[in-house]
Amino acid sequence: MDRNSVTGLVLIGLILTVFSIMNQPSADDYKKKAKTSTTKVIDKTSNKDKDHSAVSANAGTEQTPNDRKQAKKVVMGKIVSLENDDLHVDFNTKGGIVAAVYLKKYKSYKDFANKRNAALCLFKNGNAFNQLIIPVGNQTIHTRNYQFEVVKQDAKSIVFEAPLAGGKVRQTYTLNKSYDLDYVVELVDLKGVANENVKLNWKADYNKTERLFSEQRRVSTVCFNQKNEGLDYLSETTNDSQGAEDDIEWVAFKQSYFSSILKPTNAFPKNGTKFRINTFKGNQHKSWTLLKGYSATMALDFTNNKASFNWFFGPNDYELLKTYQSNYDDILNFGWGLFRWINLYAVQPIFNLLVDYGMSVGIAILILTLILKLILMPIQWKMFVSSVKMRILKPEVDELNAKYPKQEDAMKKQMEMMSLYRESGASPLAGCVPMLIQMPILLAVFRFFPAAFELRQQPFLWAEDLSSFDSIFDFGFSVWPYGDHVSLFTLLMAGTTLAYTFMNSGNMQQPQQPGMPNMKVIMYIFPIMMIFFFNNYSAGLSYYYFISTLISIIMMVVIKRFFVDEDKLRVKMADRKSNSGGADKTKKKSRFQEKLEEMQRKQQEMTKNKK
């Protein structure tokens, strides 16, 4: 392997290392176990809403007698429900809010590992609400503090009403098929209320649903789609807030594998619309029981005193989100620019085709890797042939290095090396360029597998869940910076990378100038670093890199043994060199060579003048 090939590998290694460090889970230890009980679907008075006794101090003097009477009561909500084949939604009559959402076809990791048949709870009663903020004169009504009456209910819909500001507020929820909940707000004969000042406030604290809490929390945030500027989102790692700079087409409370997306019929006006994400830290009880605190306050665009919305509560499945034709799939972190295009238009279609064909996810990853390797086979071939050529020329290159040891002769040495490469038909860039061509695919896959919903809770060999780390041994305590377990796929990935490095170590050129790093040492350190960086990553990702490197090793052995005869190639290069010797004397020099010779002449003149 020539220096340029090694440089390409080092670049890939460094970029992957930076990606790993940037995406490394936080050091917080989320091993604390909260005592929780399974949430039951009930139709009785709730006694868990601790803040229901607090009534907004803003709902006061400017309200009607009915409003003041309602505000003075300490009301307790009643839970009523709607459900279809995919969703179970609990509503609380206090505020007429969406109180809890259950996805019936999915399980939390805890229930999956314990083989319990329980629906996955996105958020439970007491941890979420949606309310209207209605200015009345100098005061403000917050509807979540008011008791709503169920005036109509059937199998698919429910209607809540509450008397407010001399009129009433009506909220209608309709549960359609799949993961959609329609939501309609009507302001009926409210006195002293300007519709353009009414806002919708939506908050939710998500439950832990995946194996590694810190990794699930790391990719959770608020996303919002701007009418003209497209997708934007808040920080995934710290507390963050932002006001809208454009009208908002939808807002998503997103976590690793599930999201809640609210889309209005008329876009949320930018004035008065803002978003916030709160990361629970320290000794807060929420810091080890809930993901993050999501909040969105949105201005509303009423039509005939009515505002309507569609809520999506469901999985971050690319194919499903794509069917909404509203760019919901933009929330999936498949990388940016070229990397995202590779994932969406190459990796994702092939992978989905294999999974839809009935293959297990583990076998689908294997077949996907083989397909990608076959596509890259010409590049692999060119890299290997270039490596062989550079190895054949290595003795002559070493002679040139010995012939011109001084720095002032560097230009002359470079010219003779260029002549050597040209005469023998070798190119130092032939190994580097193909490596750079492969780099976007390597980085694209780094983003694809951790974000692919298809890997969630899919077992393969010893890994019980390919979307999370595979553990063959748990320490029972954390060892910094390694972790609290041993991931076998990560060890296999590092082992094959080390073997691939060893097979190519004989081709690595040692640095000639003092102070230059030893490339061989760097290439051996990189596989060791991978053990620490990938230990907590998706087992599917480590499995892919392991298979990919293993196939590269097999391809290199096959090419070397059956397709490339090094002795014949050496003879061919020698013939080319001898035949080009006389031709080069009459052949017109290239512009690059002329410039190189001119630079050498000027350098020699400068050296002479200094003397």
Side-chain angles (χ1 to χ4, degrees), residues 23-147:
N23 291 278
Q24 189 73 357
S26 65
D28 295 336
D29 186 10
Y30 298 111
K31 293 294 182 181
K32 299 177 181 178
K33 302 294 184 182
K35 296 181 179 179
T36 57
S37 58
T38 303
T39 303
K40 298 182 179 180
V41 179
I42 56 173
D43 188 14
K44 60 183 180 179
T45 301
S46 171
N47 59 2
K48 295 182 180 180
D49 193 354
K50 295 182 179 180
D51 64 349
H52 279 183
S53 61
V55 180
S56 173
N58 294 324
T61 57
E62 294 295 323
Q63 302 173 34
T64 65
N66 284 336
D67 293 338
R68 289 194 295 271
K69 183 178 180 181
Q70 185 81 346
K72 290 179 181 179
K73 292 181 179 179
V74 179
V75 292
M76 304 299 290
K78 180 180 179 182
I79 299 297
V80 291
S81 304
L82 292 175
E83 65 178 295
N84 59 18
D85 292 339
D86 298 301
L87 288 179
H88 178 105
V89 184
D90 285 345
F91 304 91
N92 196 321
T93 57
K94 184 176 180 182
I97 64 173
V98 177
V101 172
Y102 300 85
L103 278 69
K104 298 167 68 174
K105 294 182 178 179
Y106 300 99
K107 301 178 182 178
S108 67
Y109 175 79
K110 186 175 181 180
D111 290 333
F112 167 75
N114 293 320
K115 296 180 170 41
R116 286 199 297 260
N117 189 22
L120 182 145
C121 179
L122 282 183
F123 49 83
K124 60 184 179 180
N125 186 34
N127 289 333
F129 63 82
N130 53 286
Q131 67 170 339
L132 295 176
I133 301 176
I134 307 174
V136 182
N138 296 325
Q139 305 299 321
T140 304
I141 294 175
H142 295 78
T143 59
R144 77 183 181 108
N145 295 314
Y146 289 80
Q147 181 73 9

Side-chain angles (χ1 to χ4, degrees), residues 224-232 244-250 265-270 301 327:
F224 45 95
N225 199 59
Q226 303 169 106
K227 194 169 185 178
N228 298 306
E229 300 297 326
L231 183 73
D232 199 358
E245 298 178 354
D246 191 5
D247 291 350
I248 304 299
E249 294 185 330
W250 49 261
T265 300
N266 300 327
F268 296 121
K270 63 180 180 180
D301 184 2
N327 297 322

Side-chain angles (χ1 to χ4, degrees), residues 394-421:
K394 188 174 185 300
E396 296 182 63
V397 172
D398 291 341
E399 288 180 7
L400 288 175
N401 287 327
K403 183 178 179 181
Y404 300 106
K406 297 180 180 180
Q407 185 66 31
E408 55 265 26
D409 295 329
M411 192 70 67
K412 186 180 294 186
K413 179 176 68 174
Q414 186 66 27
M415 287 183 61
E416 292 199 24
M417 281 191 178
M418 293 292 292
S419 178
L420 175 64
Y421 292 145

